Amino acid sequence: MDQGTFNAPLWAWAAVGAVIAVMLAVDVLSHRDNHVIELREALIWTGVWIAAGLAFGLVVWVGWGGEPAVAYYSGYLLEKALSIDNVFVFALLFGYFRVPSEYQHKVLFWGVVGALAFRLLFIFAGAELLDRLAFAGFVLGAFLIWTGWRLAVRGEPDVDPDRNVVVRLFRRLVPTDPDYHGGRFTVRVDGRRRATLLLVALVAIEATDVIFAIDSVAAILAITTNTFLVWTATAFAVLGLRSLYFCLAGLLRHFGHLRYGLAVLLGFAGVKLILADTPVGKLPIWLTLLVVVLTLSVAIGWSVVSVRRERRRHARR
């Protein structure tokens, strides 16, 4: 079965929505005491989310065949890799706002809910553009190539909240208290309801994530335009973002060259979109999966080797 032609029935969409809602509810109940997430707990939850994402690929395989499953896994791996870039930005924002460790999970939870909503909107909008506009593939492809070049040359995007238009507008329109009040997003001061600094941090994360959402949705649409596959691959990758943050936030120095791998993947996705609108046509899905796996493996291996060399260099001094 061609991965782009099958239509998932309405009950499949409803079932996936119910599974996501249940998983989010379990996550909320497990962290309702606002405790600090330790590495062991983060590793366990990361394993749970990854297992859920991989298991759903088997469901796709059984229900619709091998080619849609390979498309799903390719998209899932790409989105998972791009989500690591989000972790770096989250760490910078939490450091900037000095968000207490015990409240970071709460901010990330609502950040992920917003991220899912934005991505769902962008998925349908992007798929509609590719379907209706003949030149949309060239535009999105060029955008991805430029994004990959920018990531490789300039590094991470500017995340200074004071220069973020959304955060500045929010602070101007919404009365804001400059302090934290436990895990509350709003507080009543002198009879007036005010946003706490925790809510400002959440707005900063949501505003920054919109940029990542545009990039990641455009990239996965280069793999498949089937909205069901794009949505499920994106959702299962994003759902594990919170636990992934607590696993990797302190280990990012070991993956210093990962951004070059992500830049290559974004550029490859852009070329793939452009070629799809030329006589060359769509590249085989197995080639996409191979490129994703090899690129991530090389980038991570390069990062680990570089760190070890740097340690040996310091040890000789």
Side-chain angles (χ1 to χ4, degrees):
M1 179 185 293
D2 179 41
Q3 50 86 15
T5 57
F6 86 93
N7 291 315
L10 185 59
W11 64 262
W13 284 88
V16 171
V19 169
I20 292 174
V22 169
M23 294 173 76
L24 288 172
V26 170
D27 195 29
V28 166
L29 293 175
S30 300
H31 300 91
R32 61 183 181 277
D33 57 348
N34 290 326
H35 62 278
V36 177
I37 308 298
E38 302 294 343
L39 180 59
R40 181 176 179 274
E41 181 182 359
L43 287 171
I44 291 173
W45 275 102
T46 298
V48 169
W49 295 120
I50 291 177
L54 296 178
F56 187 79
L58 296 177
V59 173
V60 174
W61 195 301
V62 172
W64 293 284
E67 192 172 351
V70 173
Y72 166 83
Y73 280 125
S74 299
Y76 176 76
L77 282 175
L78 178 61
E79 292 299 300
K80 205 67 177 175
L82 291 174
S83 70
I84 296 176
D85 218 30
N86 293 51
V87 170
F88 179 81
V89 174
F90 291 165
L92 290 179
L93 289 173
F94 282 148
Y96 179 91
F97 286 105
R98 294 182 174 84
V99 179
S101 299
E102 60 269 27
Y103 305 130
Q104 290 180 2
H105 183 277
K106 183 174 184 177
V107 174
L108 286 178
F109 173 83
W110 290 109
V112 164
V113 172
L116 289 172
F118 280 123
R119 279 163 172 76
L120 186 61
L121 175 64
F122 292 156
I123 285 168
F124 280 99
E128 189 70 15
L129 281 175
L130 289 173
D131 184 56
R132 289 181 177 272
L133 301 179
F135 60 86
F138 291 97
V139 174
L140 285 177
F143 169 73
L144 285 172
I145 293 172
W146 174 78
T147 302
W149 174 86
R150 183 188 61 184
L151 179 60
V153 175
R154 297 174 54 188
E156 304 297 334
D158 183 13
V159 294
D160 185 355
D162 288 333
R163 298 174 60 184
N164 187 293
V165 175
V166 176
V167 175
R168 291 171 62 184
L169 183 63
F170 179 83
R171 279 176 158 164
R172 180 173 298 179
L173 297 178
V174 180
T176 304
D177 189 271
D179 298 316
Y180 288 103
H181 295 266
R184 300 169 66 182
F185 286 123
T186 63
V187 65
R188 187 173 293 278
V189 178
D190 297 329
R192 294 186 63 189
R193 179 67 62 179
R194 294 179 179 270
T196 67
L197 197 55
L198 197 67
L199 183 56
V200 177
L202 174 60
V203 171
I205 283 179
E206 294 285 16
T208 304
D209 185 69
V210 169
I211 300 173
F212 288 103
I214 295 173
D215 291 349
S216 66
V217 170
I220 195 172
L221 283 172
I223 295 175
T224 175
T225 55
N226 186 291
T227 52
F228 182 74
L229 294 178
V230 173
W231 165 240
T232 51
T234 300
F236 280 106
V238 171
L239 280 170
L241 190 56
R242 298 176 310 286
S243 54
L244 187 66
Y245 165 79
F246 293 106
C247 284
L248 298 182
L251 301 175
L252 283 171
R253 65 183 183 277
H254 296 293
F255 303 101
H257 298 303
L258 182 62
R259 68 184 176 96
Y260 296 110
L262 298 179
V264 170
L265 290 179
L266 288 171
F268 173 74
V271 171
K272 197 169 183 289
L273 269 177
I274 292 174
L275 289 178
D277 288 333
T278 68
V280 176
K282 293 184 178 180
L283 297 179
I285 197 66
W286 63 264
L287 178 60
T288 299
L289 181 59
L290 182 63
V291 170
V292 171
V293 172
L294 286 179
T295 302
L296 292 179
S297 300
V298 170
I300 293 173
W302 181 20
S303 300
V304 172
V305 169
S306 297
V307 170
R308 289 178 178 175
R309 286 178 178 174
E310 188 67 25
R311 286 177 178 173
R312 285 198 293 266
R313 190 178 298 115
H314 284 294
R316 294 193 191 102
R317 294 177 181 176

